[in-house]
Amino acid sequence: YDIGYDLPECHVIKKKETLYYAFYSDKWEGEITFKGLDEDKKYRVTDYVNTKDLGEIEGAQAMLNLTFDNFLLMELTPVE
């Protein structure tokens, strides 16, 4: 379930050290905050539906500017 009022709608699942984020919006263009990350870790961000590397982010409230229609499914893996 989700609680909160942030946009776009977001759901996250953690499997071991990898986080899977699902964002939903009819049309989104702007900054997205990735909540729930470890403060002292870097993460590789991948749009796994389109096999697109979106770079690295770092920190507990890391952000990226993203654009999508309907949904965006992302995998965040810790960078060693």
Coordinates of all heavy atoms in Angstrom, one line a residue:
Y1 N 0.8 -1.2 0.0 CA 0.0 0.0 0.0 C 0.9 1.2 0.0 O 2.1 1.2 0.2 CB -0.9 0.0 1.2 CG -0.2 0.1 2.5 CD1 -0.1 1.4 3.1 CD2 0.3 -1.0 3.2 CE1 0.6 1.5 4.3 CE2 0.9 -0.8 4.4 CZ 1.1 0.4 5.0 OH 1.7 0.6 6.2
D2 N 0.3 2.4 -0.3 CA 1.1 3.6 -0.2 C 0.3 4.6 0.6 O -0.9 4.6 0.7 CB 1.4 4.1 -1.6 CG 0.2 4.5 -2.4 OD1 -0.9 4.5 -1.9 OD2 0.3 4.8 -3.6
I3 N 1.1 5.5 1.3 CA 0.5 6.6 2.1 C 1.3 7.8 1.7 O 2.5 7.8 1.6 CB 0.6 6.3 3.6 CG1 -0.2 5.1 4.0 CG2 0.2 7.5 4.4 CD1 0.0 4.7 5.4
G4 N 0.6 8.9 1.4 CA 1.2 10.1 1.1 C 0.6 10.8 -0.1 O -0.3 10.3 -0.7
Y5 N 1.1 12.0 -0.4 CA 0.5 12.8 -1.4 C 1.5 13.3 -2.4 O 1.3 14.3 -3.1 CB -0.2 14.0 -0.8 CG -1.3 13.5 0.2 CD1 -1.0 13.4 1.6 CD2 -2.5 13.0 -0.3 CE1 -2.0 13.0 2.4 CE2 -3.4 12.5 0.6 CZ -3.2 12.5 2.0 OH -4.1 12.1 2.8
D6 N 2.7 12.6 -2.5 CA 3.7 13.0 -3.5 C 3.3 12.6 -4.9 O 2.6 11.6 -5.1 CB 5.0 12.3 -3.2 CG 5.6 12.8 -1.9 OD1 5.3 13.9 -1.4 OD2 6.5 12.1 -1.3
L7 N 3.6 13.4 -5.9 CA 3.4 13.1 -7.3 C 4.8 12.9 -8.0 O 5.7 13.7 -7.6 CB 2.6 14.2 -8.0 CG 1.2 14.3 -7.4 CD1 0.5 15.5 -8.1 CD2 0.4 13.0 -7.7
P8 N 4.9 12.0 -8.9 CA 3.9 11.1 -9.4 C 3.7 10.0 -8.3 O 4.5 9.8 -7.4 CB 4.6 10.5 -10.6 CG 6.0 10.6 -10.4 CD 6.2 11.9 -9.6
E9 N 2.7 9.2 -8.5 CA 2.4 8.0 -7.7 C 3.6 7.1 -7.8 O 4.2 6.9 -8.8 CB 1.2 7.3 -8.2 CG 0.9 6.0 -7.4 CD -0.3 5.3 -7.9 OE1 -1.1 5.9 -8.7 OE2 -0.5 4.1 -7.5
C10 N 4.0 6.6 -6.6 CA 5.2 5.7 -6.6 C 5.0 4.5 -5.7 O 4.4 4.6 -4.6 CB 6.4 6.5 -6.1 SG 7.9 5.5 -5.9
H11 N 5.5 3.4 -6.1 CA 5.6 2.1 -5.3 C 7.0 1.6 -5.4 O 7.7 1.7 -6.5 CB 4.6 1.1 -5.9 CG 3.2 1.6 -5.9 ND1 2.3 1.4 -4.9 CD2 2.5 2.3 -6.9 CE1 1.2 2.0 -5.2 NE2 1.3 2.5 -6.4
V12 N 7.5 1.0 -4.3 CA 8.8 0.5 -4.3 C 8.9 -0.9 -3.6 O 8.1 -1.1 -2.7 CB 9.8 1.5 -3.6 CG1 9.5 1.7 -2.2 CG2 11.2 1.0 -3.8
I13 N 9.7 -1.7 -4.2 CA 9.9 -3.1 -3.6 C 11.4 -3.3 -3.5 O 12.2 -2.9 -4.4 CB 9.4 -4.2 -4.6 CG1 7.9 -4.0 -4.7 CG2 9.8 -5.6 -4.1 CD1 7.3 -4.9 -5.8
K14 N 11.8 -3.8 -2.3 CA 13.3 -4.1 -2.1 C 13.5 -5.6 -2.1 O 12.8 -6.3 -1.4 CB 13.7 -3.5 -0.8 CG 15.2 -3.7 -0.6 CD 15.6 -2.9 0.7 CE 17.2 -3.0 0.8 NZ 17.6 -2.3 2.0
K15 N 14.4 -6.1 -2.9 CA 14.8 -7.5 -3.0 C 16.3 -7.5 -2.8 O 17.1 -7.1 -3.7 CB 14.4 -8.1 -4.4 CG 14.6 -9.6 -4.4 CD 14.1 -10.1 -5.7 CE 14.3 -11.6 -5.7 NZ 13.8 -12.2 -7.0
K16 N 16.7 -8.0 -1.6 CA 18.1 -8.0 -1.2 C 18.5 -6.5 -1.2 O 17.9 -5.7 -0.5 CB 19.0 -8.9 -2.0 CG 18.6 -10.4 -1.8 CD 19.5 -11.3 -2.5 CE 19.0 -12.7 -2.3 NZ 19.9 -13.7 -2.9
E17 N 19.5 -6.2 -2.0 CA 20.0 -4.8 -2.0 C 19.5 -3.9 -3.1 O 19.8 -2.8 -3.2 CB 21.6 -4.8 -2.0 CG 22.2 -5.3 -0.7 CD 21.8 -4.5 0.5 OE1 21.9 -3.3 0.5 OE2 21.5 -5.1 1.5
T18 N 18.7 -4.6 -4.0 CA 18.2 -3.9 -5.2 C 16.8 -3.4 -4.9 O 16.0 -4.0 -4.3 CB 18.1 -4.9 -6.4 OG1 19.4 -5.3 -6.6 CG2 17.6 -4.2 -7.6
L19 N 16.5 -2.1 -5.3 CA 15.2 -1.5 -5.2 C 14.6 -1.4 -6.5 O 15.2 -1.0 -7.5 CB 15.4 -0.1 -4.5 CG 15.8 -0.2 -3.1 CD1 17.0 0.8 -2.9 CD2 14.7 0.1 -2.2
Y20 N 13.3 -1.7 -6.6 CA 12.5 -1.5 -7.8 C 11.4 -0.5 -7.6 O 10.6 -0.6 -6.7 CB 11.8 -2.9 -8.2 CG 12.9 -3.9 -8.5 CD1 13.4 -4.8 -7.5 CD2 13.3 -4.1 -9.8 CE1 14.3 -5.7 -7.8 CE2 14.3 -5.1 -10.1 CZ 14.8 -5.9 -9.1 OH 15.7 -6.8 -9.4
Y21 N 11.5 0.6 -8.4 CA 10.5 1.7 -8.3 C 9.6 1.7 -9.5 O 10.0 1.5 -10.6 CB 11.3 3.0 -8.3 CG 12.0 3.4 -7.0 CD1 13.2 2.8 -6.7 CD2 11.4 4.2 -6.1 CE1 13.9 3.1 -5.5 CE2 12.0 4.5 -4.9 CZ 13.3 4.0 -4.6 OH 13.9 4.2 -3.5
A22 N 8.3 1.9 -9.2 CA 7.3 2.1 -10.2 C 6.6 3.4 -10.1 O 6.1 3.7 -9.0 CB 6.3 0.9 -10.2
F23 N 6.7 4.2 -11.1 CA 6.1 5.6 -11.1 C 5.0 5.6 -12.1 O 5.1 5.0 -13.2 CB 7.1 6.6 -11.5 CG 8.2 6.8 -10.4 CD1 9.5 6.2 -10.7 CD2 8.1 7.5 -9.3 CE1 10.5 6.4 -9.8 CE2 9.1 7.6 -8.3 CZ 10.3 7.1 -8.6
Y24 N 3.9 6.2 -11.7 CA 2.7 6.3 -12.5 C 2.2 7.7 -12.6 O 2.0 8.4 -11.6 CB 1.6 5.4 -11.9 CG 2.0 4.0 -11.8 CD1 2.4 3.5 -10.6 CD2 1.9 3.1 -12.9 CE1 2.8 2.1 -10.5 CE2 2.3 1.8 -12.8 CZ 2.7 1.3 -11.6 OH 3.1 0.0 -11.5
S25 N 1.9 8.2 -13.8 CA 1.3 9.5 -14.1 C 0.8 9.5 -15.6 O 1.5 8.9 -16.4 CB 2.3 10.6 -13.8 OG 1.7 11.8 -14.1
D26 N -0.3 10.1 -15.9 CA -0.7 10.2 -17.3 C 0.5 10.8 -18.1 O 0.8 10.3 -19.2 CB -1.9 11.1 -17.4 CG -3.2 10.4 -16.8 OD1 -3.2 9.2 -16.7 OD2 -4.1 11.2 -16.5
K27 N 1.1 11.9 -17.6 CA 2.2 12.5 -18.3 C 3.1 13.2 -17.2 O 2.5 13.9 -16.4 CB 1.8 13.5 -19.3 CG 2.9 14.1 -20.1 CD 2.4 14.9 -21.3 CE 3.5 15.4 -22.1 NZ 4.2 14.3 -22.8
W28 N 4.4 12.9 -17.1 CA 5.2 13.4 -16.1 C 6.5 14.0 -16.8 O 7.1 13.4 -17.6 CB 5.6 12.4 -15.1 CG 6.5 13.0 -14.0 CD1 7.9 13.0 -14.0 CD2 6.1 13.7 -12.9 NE1 8.3 13.7 -12.9 CE2 7.2 14.2 -12.2 CE3 4.8 14.1 -12.4 CZ2 7.1 14.9 -11.1 CZ3 4.7 14.8 -11.3 CH2 5.9 15.2 -10.6
E29 N 6.8 15.2 -16.4 CA 8.1 15.9 -16.8 C 8.5 16.7 -15.6 O 7.9 17.7 -15.2 CB 7.8 16.7 -18.0 CG 9.1 17.3 -18.6 CD 8.9 18.0 -19.9 OE1 7.9 17.7 -20.6 OE2 9.7 18.9 -20.2
G30 N 9.7 16.3 -15.0 CA 10.2 17.0 -13.9 C 11.0 16.2 -12.9 O 11.4 15.0 -13.2
E31 N 11.3 16.7 -11.8 CA 12.1 16.1 -10.8 C 11.4 15.0 -10.0 O 10.2 15.2 -9.6 CB 12.6 17.2 -9.9 CG 13.9 16.8 -9.1 CD 14.5 18.0 -8.4 OE1 13.9 18.5 -7.4 OE2 15.5 18.5 -8.9
I32 N 12.0 13.9 -9.7 CA 11.5 12.8 -8.9 C 12.5 12.6 -7.8 O 13.7 12.5 -8.1 CB 11.2 11.6 -9.7 CG1 10.1 11.8 -10.7 CG2 11.0 10.4 -8.8 CD1 9.8 10.6 -11.6
T33 N 12.0 12.4 -6.6 CA 12.8 12.1 -5.4 C 12.7 10.6 -5.1 O 11.6 10.1 -5.0 CB 12.4 12.9 -4.2 OG1 12.5 14.3 -4.5 CG2 13.3 12.6 -3.0
F34 N 13.8 10.0 -5.0 CA 13.9 8.5 -4.7 C 14.0 8.4 -3.2 O 15.1 8.6 -2.6 CB 15.0 7.9 -5.4 CG 14.9 7.8 -6.8 CD1 15.2 8.8 -7.7 CD2 14.3 6.6 -7.4 CE1 15.0 8.7 -9.0 CE2 14.1 6.5 -8.8 CZ 14.5 7.6 -9.6
K35 N 13.0 8.1 -2.5 CA 13.0 8.0 -1.0 C 13.3 6.5 -0.6 O 13.1 5.6 -1.4 CB 11.6 8.3 -0.4 CG 11.3 9.8 -0.7 CD 9.9 10.1 -0.1 CE 9.6 11.6 -0.4 NZ 8.3 11.9 0.2
G36 N 13.9 6.4 0.5 CA 14.2 5.0 1.0 C 15.6 4.5 0.7 O 15.9 3.4 1.0
L37 N 16.4 5.4 0.1 CA 17.8 5.0 -0.2 C 18.7 5.1 1.0 O 18.4 5.9 1.9 CB 18.4 5.8 -1.3 CG 17.5 5.8 -2.6 CD1 18.2 6.7 -3.7 CD2 17.4 4.3 -3.2
D38 N 19.8 4.3 1.1 CA 20.8 4.5 2.1 C 21.6 5.8 1.9 O 22.0 6.0 0.8 CB 21.7 3.3 2.2 CG 21.1 2.0 2.7 OD1 20.0 2.1 3.4 OD2 21.5 0.9 2.3
E39 N 21.8 6.5 3.0 CA 22.5 7.8 2.9 C 23.9 7.7 2.3 O 24.3 8.6 1.5 CB 22.6 8.4 4.3 CG 23.3 9.7 4.4 CD 22.5 10.9 3.7 OE1 21.2 10.9 3.9 OE2 23.1 11.7 3.1
D40 N 24.6 6.6 2.6 CA 26.0 6.5 2.2 C 26.3 5.6 1.0 O 27.4 5.2 0.8 CB 26.9 6.1 3.4 CG 26.4 4.7 4.0 OD1 25.3 4.3 3.6 OD2 27.1 4.1 4.8
K41 N 25.2 5.4 0.2 CA 25.4 4.5 -1.0 C 25.1 5.2 -2.2 O 24.3 6.1 -2.3 CB 24.5 3.3 -0.9 CG 24.9 2.2 0.1 CD 24.0 1.0 -0.1 CE 24.4 0.0 0.9 NZ 23.6 -1.2 0.8
K42 N 25.8 4.8 -3.3 CA 25.5 5.2 -4.7 C 24.7 4.1 -5.3 O 24.9 2.9 -5.0 CB 26.8 5.5 -5.5 CG 27.5 6.7 -5.2 CD 28.6 6.9 -6.2 CE 29.4 8.1 -5.8 NZ 30.5 8.3 -6.8
Y43 N 23.8 4.5 -6.2 CA 23.0 3.5 -6.9 C 23.0 3.8 -8.4 O 23.0 4.9 -8.9 CB 21.5 3.7 -6.5 CG 21.3 3.3 -5.0 CD1 21.4 4.3 -4.0 CD2 20.9 2.0 -4.7 CE1 21.2 3.9 -2.7 CE2 20.7 1.7 -3.3 CZ 20.8 2.7 -2.4 OH 20.6 2.3 -1.0
R44 N 23.1 2.7 -9.2 CA 23.0 2.7 -10.6 C 21.5 2.7 -10.9 O 20.7 1.8 -10.4 CB 23.7 1.5 -11.3 CG 23.4 1.2 -12.7 CD 24.0 2.2 -13.7 NE 25.4 2.4 -13.5 CZ 26.0 3.5 -13.9 NH1 25.4 4.4 -14.6 NH2 27.3 3.7 -13.7
V45 N 21.0 3.6 -11.8 CA 19.5 3.7 -12.1 C 19.3 3.2 -13.5 O 19.9 3.7 -14.5 CB 19.1 5.1 -12.0 CG1 17.6 5.2 -12.3 CG2 19.4 5.7 -10.6
T46 N 18.4 2.2 -13.7 CA 18.1 1.6 -15.0 C 16.6 1.6 -15.2 O 15.9 1.1 -14.4 CB 18.7 0.2 -15.1 OG1 20.1 0.2 -14.7 CG2 18.5 -0.4 -16.4
D47 N 16.2 2.1 -16.4 CA 14.8 1.9 -16.9 C 14.9 0.5 -17.5 O 15.3 0.3 -18.6 CB 14.5 3.0 -17.9 CG 13.2 2.7 -18.7 OD1 12.6 1.6 -18.5 OD2 12.8 3.6 -19.4
Y48 N 14.4 -0.5 -16.7 CA 14.6 -1.9 -17.2 C 13.6 -2.3 -18.3 O 13.8 -3.3 -19.0 CB 14.6 -2.9 -16.0 CG 13.3 -3.0 -15.2 CD1 12.3 -3.8 -15.6 CD2 13.2 -2.3 -14.0 CE1 11.2 -3.9 -14.8 CE2 12.1 -2.4 -13.2 CZ 11.1 -3.2 -13.6 OH 9.9 -3.4 -12.9
V49 N 12.5 -1.5 -18.5 CA 11.6 -1.9 -19.6 C 12.2 -1.5 -20.9 O 12.2 -2.2 -21.9 CB 10.2 -1.1 -19.4 CG1 9.4 -1.3 -20.6 CG2 9.5 -1.6 -18.2
N50 N 12.9 -0.3 -21.0 CA 13.5 0.2 -22.2 C 15.0 -0.1 -22.2 O 15.7 0.4 -23.1 CB 13.2 1.7 -22.3 CG 11.7 1.9 -22.5 OD1 11.1 1.4 -23.3 ND2 11.2 2.7 -21.5
T51 N 15.6 -0.8 -21.3 CA 17.0 -1.1 -21.2 C 17.8 0.1 -21.4 O 18.7 0.2 -22.2 CB 17.4 -2.2 -22.3 OG1 16.4 -3.2 -22.3 CG2 18.7 -2.8 -21.9
K52 N 17.5 1.1 -20.5 CA 18.2 2.4 -20.6 C 18.8 2.8 -19.3 O 18.2 2.8 -18.2 CB 17.1 3.5 -20.9 CG 17.6 4.8 -21.2 CD 16.5 5.7 -21.7 CE 16.9 7.1 -22.1 NZ 15.8 7.9 -22.5
D53 N 20.1 3.0 -19.3 CA 20.9 3.4 -18.2 C 20.7 4.9 -17.9 O 20.9 5.7 -18.8 CB 22.4 3.1 -18.4 CG 23.3 3.4 -17.2 OD1 22.8 4.0 -16.2 OD2 24.5 3.1 -17.3
L54 N 20.3 5.3 -16.7 CA 20.0 6.7 -16.4 C 21.0 7.3 -15.5 O 20.8 8.3 -14.9 CB 18.6 6.8 -15.8 CG 17.5 6.3 -16.7 CD1 16.1 6.3 -16.0 CD2 17.4 7.2 -17.9
G55 N 22.2 6.6 -15.3 CA 23.3 7.1 -14.5 C 23.2 6.6 -13.1 O 22.6 5.6 -12.7
E56 N 23.9 7.4 -12.2 CA 24.0 7.1 -10.8 C 23.4 8.2 -9.9 O 23.5 9.4 -10.3 CB 25.5 6.9 -10.4 CG 26.1 5.7 -11.0 CD 27.6 5.5 -10.5 OE1 28.1 6.3 -9.7 OE2 28.2 4.6 -11.0
I57 N 22.9 7.8 -8.8 CA 22.4 8.8 -7.8 C 23.0 8.4 -6.5 O 23.4 7.3 -6.3 CB 20.9 8.9 -7.7 CG1 20.2 7.5 -7.4 CG2 20.3 9.4 -9.0 CD1 18.7 7.5 -7.3
E58 N 22.9 9.3 -5.5 CA 23.5 9.1 -4.2 C 22.7 9.8 -3.1 O 22.2 10.9 -3.4 CB 25.0 9.6 -4.2 CG 25.7 9.5 -3.0 CD 27.2 9.9 -3.1 OE1 27.6 10.5 -4.2 OE2 27.9 9.7 -2.2
G59 N 22.6 9.2 -1.9 CA 22.0 9.9 -0.8 C 20.6 9.4 -0.5 O 20.0 8.8 -1.4
A60 N 20.1 9.7 0.6 CA 18.8 9.2 1.1 C 17.6 9.9 0.4 O 16.5 9.3 0.3 CB 18.7 9.4 2.6
Q61 N 17.8 11.0 -0.2 CA 16.7 11.7 -0.9 C 17.2 12.2 -2.3 O 17.1 13.3 -2.7 CB 16.3 13.0 -0.1 CG 15.7 12.6 1.2 CD 14.2 12.3 1.1 OE1 13.5 12.8 0.3 NE2 13.8 11.4 2.0
A62 N 17.9 11.2 -3.0 CA 18.4 11.5 -4.3 C 17.3 11.9 -5.3 O 16.2 11.4 -5.2 CB 19.2 10.3 -4.9
M63 N 17.7 12.7 -6.3 CA 16.7 13.2 -7.3 C 17.2 13.0 -8.7 O 18.4 13.1 -9.0 CB 16.3 14.6 -7.0 CG 15.6 14.8 -5.7 SD 15.2 16.6 -5.5 CE 16.6 17.1 -4.5
L64 N 16.3 12.9 -9.7 CA 16.5 12.9 -11.1 C 15.4 13.6 -11.8 O 14.3 13.5 -11.4 CB 16.6 11.4 -11.7 CG 17.8 10.6 -11.5 CD1 17.5 9.2 -12.1 CD2 19.0 11.2 -12.2
N65 N 15.7 14.3 -12.9 CA 14.7 14.9 -13.8 C 14.4 13.8 -14.8 O 15.2 13.3 -15.5 CB 15.3 16.1 -14.5 CG 15.2 17.3 -13.6 OD1 14.2 17.6 -13.0 ND2 16.3 18.1 -13.6
L66 N 13.1 13.5 -14.9 CA 12.6 12.4 -15.7 C 11.3 12.8 -16.5 O 10.6 13.7 -16.0 CB 12.3 11.2 -14.9 CG 13.5 10.6 -14.1 CD1 13.0 9.5 -13.1 CD2 14.4 9.9 -15.1
T67 N 11.2 12.2 -17.6 CA 10.0 12.4 -18.4 C 9.4 11.0 -18.8 O 10.1 10.2 -19.3 CB 10.3 13.2 -19.7 OG1 10.9 14.4 -19.3 CG2 9.1 13.4 -20.6
F68 N 8.1 10.9 -18.6 CA 7.4 9.6 -19.1 C 5.9 9.8 -19.2 O 5.4 10.8 -18.7 CB 7.7 8.5 -18.1 CG 7.2 8.7 -16.7 CD1 5.9 8.2 -16.4 CD2 7.9 9.3 -15.7 CE1 5.3 8.3 -15.1 CE2 7.3 9.4 -14.4 CZ 6.1 9.0 -14.1
D69 N 5.3 8.9 -20.0 CA 3.9 8.8 -20.1 C 3.4 7.5 -19.5 O 3.9 6.5 -19.8 CB 3.5 8.9 -21.6 CG 3.8 10.2 -22.3 OD1 3.8 11.2 -21.6 OD2 4.1 10.2 -23.5
N70 N 2.4 7.6 -18.7 CA 1.7 6.5 -18.0 C 2.5 5.8 -16.9 O 2.1 5.7 -15.8 CB 1.3 5.4 -19.1 CG 0.3 6.0 -20.1 OD1 -0.6 6.8 -19.7 ND2 0.5 5.7 -21.3
F71 N 3.7 5.3 -17.2 CA 4.5 4.6 -16.2 C 6.0 4.6 -16.5 O 6.4 4.8 -17.6 CB 4.0 3.2 -16.0 CG 4.3 2.3 -17.2 CD1 5.5 1.6 -17.2 CD2 3.4 2.2 -18.2 CE1 5.8 0.8 -18.3 CE2 3.6 1.4 -19.3 CZ 4.8 0.6 -19.3
L72 N 6.8 4.4 -15.4 CA 8.2 4.3 -15.6 C 8.7 3.3 -14.5 O 8.4 3.4 -13.3 CB 8.9 5.6 -15.3 CG 10.5 5.6 -15.4 CD1 10.9 5.1 -16.8 CD2 11.0 7.0 -15.1
L73 N 9.3 2.2 -14.9 CA 9.7 1.1 -14.0 C 11.2 1.1 -14.0 O 11.9 1.1 -15.0 CB 9.2 -0.3 -14.5 CG 7.7 -0.4 -14.7 CD1 7.4 -1.7 -15.3 CD2 7.0 -0.1 -13.4
M74 N 11.8 1.2 -12.8 CA 13.2 1.4 -12.6 C 13.8 0.5 -11.6 O 13.2 0.1 -10.6 CB 13.5 2.9 -12.2 CG 12.8 3.9 -13.1 SD 13.0 5.5 -12.5 CE 14.7 5.8 -13.1
E75 N 15.1 0.1 -11.9 CA 15.8 -0.8 -11.0 C 17.0 0.1 -10.5 O 17.7 0.7 -11.2 CB 16.3 -2.0 -11.7 CG 17.2 -2.9 -10.9 CD 17.7 -4.0 -11.7 OE1 18.7 -3.8 -12.5 OE2 17.2 -5.2 -11.6
L76 N 17.2 0.1 -9.1 CA 18.3 0.8 -8.5 C 19.2 -0.3 -7.8 O 18.7 -0.9 -6.9 CB 17.8 1.8 -7.5 CG 17.4 3.2 -8.1 CD1 16.2 3.1 -9.0 CD2 17.3 4.2 -7.0
T77 N 20.4 -0.4 -8.3 CA 21.4 -1.3 -7.7 C 22.5 -0.6 -7.1 O 23.0 0.4 -7.7 CB 21.9 -2.3 -8.8 OG1 22.4 -1.6 -9.9 CG2 20.8 -3.2 -9.3
P78 N 22.9 -1.0 -5.9 CA 24.1 -0.3 -5.2 C 25.3 -0.5 -6.1 O 25.6 -1.5 -6.7 CB 24.2 -1.1 -3.9 CG 22.9 -1.8 -3.7 CD 22.4 -2.1 -5.1
V79 N 26.1 0.6 -6.1 CA 27.4 0.6 -6.8 C 28.5 0.3 -5.8 O 28.5 1.0 -4.7 CB 27.7 2.0 -7.4 CG1 29.0 2.1 -8.1 CG2 26.6 2.4 -8.5
E80 N 29.2 -0.7 -6.0 CA 30.3 -1.1 -5.1 C 31.5 -0.3 -5.2 O 31.9 0.2 -6.2 CB 30.6 -2.6 -5.3 CG 29.4 -3.5 -5.3 CD 29.0 -3.9 -3.9 OE1 29.8 -4.0 -3.0 OE2 27.8 -4.2 -3.7

